[in-house]
Amino acid sequence: MGGMWAFLERKSGRSNFMYSARLSIDSLWKVGVKHEWWRGVKNGDVLVLVMSLSLVNTIYELNPKAVSGGIMRKGLGMLRGEG
């Protein structure tokens, strides 16, 4: 029943889906640390940033139109040296 909103708002609810996914991952991480399922990684926040940037760069490399928003595409292109 708790996830019924996702079915009802499946056409235009991308921002809600992304927000709930981020909260779910954050909650899983906190529960795992509390129950000592895993330990933190030194400079883990930097590693997450590097991995996310590499993922976005790979997606942009395969299909530039997959990155929504012209400003975002232009910014990624400039960072890659495409002008």
Side-chain angles (χ1 to χ4, degrees):
M1 290 300 283
M4 191 59 136
W5 68 269
F7 178 74
L8 296 174
E9 199 178 347
R10 65 184 177 270
K11 301 257 191 252
S12 63
R14 184 177 191 279
S15 61
N16 288 333
F17 289 130
M18 296 302 287
Y19 180 70
S20 65
R22 185 186 69 81
L23 286 180
S24 298
I25 292 169
D26 187 44
S27 176
L28 176 67
W29 177 259
K30 288 178 182 176
V31 168
V33 168
K34 182 179 177 182
H35 291 283
E36 297 178 355
W37 293 339
W38 47 73
R39 290 181 291 171
V41 177
K42 186 176 180 181
N43 295 328
D45 53 346
V46 176
L47 292 174
V48 169
L49 176 68
V50 168
M51 293 301 293
S52 64
L53 287 176
S54 65
L55 178 66
V56 169
N57 191 27
T58 303
I59 292 171
Y60 182 75
E61 177 89 21
L62 294 174
N63 185 8
K65 300 257 186 227
V67 178
S68 61
I71 294 173
M72 190 69 172
R73 274 196 307 268
K74 184 167 179 113
L76 283 171
M78 287 174 55
L79 288 174
R80 294 177 47 128
E82 295 174 356

